Amino acid sequence: MVTSTESRTKFSELLTDVEELRAEVEIVVNSTPVMDAHTHLFPLEFNELCLYGIDALLTYHYLTAETFRSAGIAYDQFWAMSKTEQADLVWKTLFVDNTPTSEATQGIISVLDAFGLDTRAPDLKEARQFFNSQQLAEHIDHVFDIARVSGVVMTNDPLDEAEARLLKGDVTDQRFRSSLRLDRLVNNWEAARRALSREGVSVAAELQPKDVDAIRRFLGENIQRINPVYMAVSLPADFRFPDDDIRDRLLREAIVPAAKEHGLALTLMVGVRRRVNPNLREAGDAVGRADVTAIERLCAQYPDVRFLVTFLSRENQHELCVTARKFNNLMPFGCWWFLNNPSIVSEITRERLELLGPSFIPQHSDARVLEQLIYKWKHARKQIADALCTAYEQLLHNGRAVTRDEISRDVTRMFSGNFNEWITTR
Ligand code: FIX
Ligand code: ZN
């Protein structure tokens, strides 16, 4: 039996053997709870927005895009099908007629495997029976447990009709934290004006000072109502700062002042090109290389605002690290969307460790369907553990061994500490 003094000694023991070091890193990375900084998940009380189960998993937009590539089906024909029929087709196309090598398909395999379901099943009968037989509240606990996720940040856009309606109910499950998403406000001004007017806020096309005040009030009211951990917006690849458009004015005159007033961090997700193929619906968005100097200028101009930033393009990652070295109010986070593949997560995490030490948030899940937490975190933990092993092995090679306590300190900082530091100044 190990006494507490003995285990204490072990935690502070220098790990000089590479095999032992590797084993310790894996234990720590796999067992440390993670705070998921950005998802599209919703709790039980959001009813139809709380997605779970095999049909929702298989109709995830990452998988529908892949299905169109292999199934030879017309867009209209696919969208006319029921969710069950779509899921059947996705399963047949990507898992029966083809080998599931892509990251999104491997995710499904990881989820089925986690529940002991047949990963080579000819159809979805067994999986449907399993998910249909779950009590949702317990199932949510079980998934959070398997994924070792302590909490998730939701995406709550007050100008999205469904989310705005449902946001008004209190979220009782404390693991689900809200964020004030501002895409509909900043990314299409005409649509934003219509949406604002539905909320009783009427603003002129040219955005007069009184309109700015009205938007500030609208933001303030929503901040009071949903108590977000941050305000967030996704931005196109051609985002510039400064600029001479309405978005620039909204940022400067309404959003940044609201961030300051309420002590909220601003999350910027840059580099998406929306609906390059509208036939694919949610799967129709693409990526573009963006200008990281826009973020550099924002960080320089607003040193008292904390920015959480992720870029969608692989080509922007190195510049983001360099910018974070220049500005302490910038926290790089996640390997977003098309970057969330093992080879790219590995590359980006290694680059960040080399340039930033543990002062970044390595991943967020972006989960839309509950059980995706299982695979997205299982796969991310593998890459993060491997990257950390390399860093610690290099350190050992260069003359310094680490202890299990130190590994745990680093991982805790990256999995929740950095996030908590960024969101808690109110
Ligand atoms: O803008 C976002 O938050 C994106 O993550 C989503 O819109 C995107 O569709 C997605 O699910 C990516 O993982
Ligand atoms: Zn997202």
Side-chain angles (χ1 to χ4, degrees):
M1 182 163 162
V2 183
T3 67
S4 62
T5 331
E6 277 163 345
S7 69
R8 194 70 240 149
T9 317
K10 179 150 173 35
F11 286 156
S12 56
E13 213 171 80
L14 292 177
L15 295 161
T16 51
D17 175 81
V18 171
E19 287 308 309
E20 207 187 332
L21 171 63
R22 187 159 278 273
E24 290 296 348
V25 170
E26 280 170 15
I27 290 170
V28 174
V29 170
N30 288 330
S31 60
T32 304
V34 71
M35 177 67 208
D36 198 334
H38 167 62
T39 76
H40 298 263
L41 295 178
F42 295 100
L44 198 58
E45 52 264 62
F46 277 56
N47 303 317
E48 73 276 8
L49 291 188
C50 172
L51 299 180
Y52 71 99
I54 194 64
D55 291 335
L57 285 165
L58 286 170
T59 50
Y60 185 35
H61 65 75
Y62 290 27
L63 289 169
T64 53
E66 292 175 29
T67 301
F68 280 114
R69 294 190 58 76
S70 299
I73 189 169
Y75 297 120
D76 289 349
Q77 202 186 336
F78 182 82
W79 298 122
M81 291 162 104
S82 68
K83 278 274 169 236
T84 317
E85 290 166 339
Q86 290 175 357
D88 282 334
L89 180 68
V90 172
W91 181 258
K92 180 177 180 311
T93 307
L94 301 179
F95 297 83
V96 179
D97 296 346
N98 290 284
T99 308
T101 60
S102 74
E103 171 61 8
T105 54
Q106 300 225 19
I108 297 286
I109 298 302
S110 288
V111 172
L112 294 176
D113 190 57
F115 292 113
L117 298 168
D118 184 1
T119 57
R120 299 186 59 89
D123 57 41
L124 298 173
K125 209 163 153 235
E126 182 200 38
R128 283 196 180 115
Q129 258 163 16
F130 171 79
F131 287 107
N132 289 341
S133 69
Q134 301 305 304
Q135 289 294 324
L136 188 49
E138 284 161 26
H139 184 57
I140 294 175
D141 291 347
H142 192 198
V143 168
F144 271 69
D145 237 37
I146 300 175
R148 284 167 310 286
V149 169
S150 55
V152 298
V153 180
M154 304 180 282
T155 297
N156 310 109
D157 192 326
L159 296 182
D160 176 297
E161 280 176 276
E163 287 176 16
R165 171 173 55 83
L166 289 159
L167 268 171
K168 285 176 180 129
D170 282 337
V171 176
T172 50
D173 188 336
Q174 294 303 307
R175 290 170 300 192
F176 289 80
R177 313 289 299 272
S178 51
S179 71
L180 186 62
R181 183 75 176 238
L182 303 173
D183 280 39
R184 284 172 180 76
L185 177 65
V186 304
N187 284 330
N188 179 340
W189 183 228
E190 276 319 303
R193 287 182 62 224
R194 285 194 299 275
L196 280 166
S197 115
R198 278 198 297 272
E199 293 294 309
V201 184
S202 121
V203 289
E206 310 73 36
L207 195 64
Q208 304 297 339
K210 70 169 180 27
D211 301 325
V212 173
D213 291 345
I215 291 174
R216 283 283 301 276
R217 270 197 307 280
F218 174 74
L219 293 177
E221 282 160 17
N222 277 285
I223 290 167
Q224 293 305 329
R225 186 163 67 78
I226 72 167
N227 190 25
V229 289
Y230 56 64
M231 289 192 283
V233 63
S234 80
L235 294 161
D238 61 4
F239 171 65
R240 304 271 172 271
F241 184 85
D243 210 337
D244 55 8
D245 56 4
I246 292 277
R247 183 197 285 124
D248 188 86
R249 288 195 54 207
L250 288 167
L251 267 175
R252 276 172 206 282
E253 298 173 31
I255 296 169
V256 167
K260 288 185 186 174
E261 183 185 338
H262 299 276
L264 283 172
L266 202 50
T267 294
L268 305 176
M269 306 170 70
V270 194
V272 55
R273 294 188 302 119
R274 298 280 180 199
R275 297 299 193 261
V276 300
N277 183 354
N279 292 314
L280 287 170
R281 301 198 177 169
E282 263 181 339
D285 300 344
V287 57
R289 185 178 182 156
D291 179 3
V292 180
T293 64
I295 299 300
E296 190 179 287
R297 282 187 284 274
L298 270 166
C299 290
Q301 188 158 331
Y302 304 111
D304 47 350
V305 174
R306 296 174 316 287
F307 295 93
L308 276 152
V309 178
T310 198
F311 277 83
L312 190 52
S313 164
R314 180 185 178 201
E315 285 68 32
N316 285 133
Q317 301 307 318
H318 182 253
E319 289 166 276
L320 175 61
C321 288
V322 174
T323 309
R325 289 176 67 90
K326 308 299 137 192
F327 296 97
N328 294 343
N329 56 336
L330 170 56
M331 178 70 73
F333 80 98
C335 300
W336 183 23
W337 200 345
F338 310 114
L339 301 172
N340 193 357
N341 310 307
S343 63
I344 303 183
V345 173
S346 169
E347 168 186 298
I348 295 175
T349 308
R350 285 160 199 266
E351 187 172 62
R352 288 175 176 170
L353 281 169
E354 287 169 357
L355 280 157
L356 301 170
S359 69
F360 66 97
I361 296 170
Q363 188 54 308
H364 66 272
S365 74
D366 234 309
R368 282 176 181 265
V369 182
L370 176 70
E371 299 87 355
Q372 288 170 345
L373 288 176
I374 295 174
Y375 95 77
K376 300 229 187 199
W377 283 110
K378 176 186 174 194
H379 297 192
R381 284 181 204 266
K382 163 94 175 66
Q383 298 313 320
I384 295 165
D386 285 352
L388 271 173
C389 279
T390 304
Y392 294 139
E393 277 173 39
Q394 280 165 352
L395 196 55
L396 185 61
H397 180 75
N398 291 332
R400 176 170 166 158
V402 293
T403 66
R404 185 167 170 184
D405 271 343
E406 288 168 346
I407 299 170
S408 184
R409 176 193 61 195
D410 296 344
V411 174
T412 302
R413 180 172 175 192
M414 292 193 289
F415 280 12
S416 59
N418 289 330
F419 176 79
N420 289 333
E421 197 186 311
W422 236 240
I423 63 154
T424 51
T425 58
R426 275 183 295 160

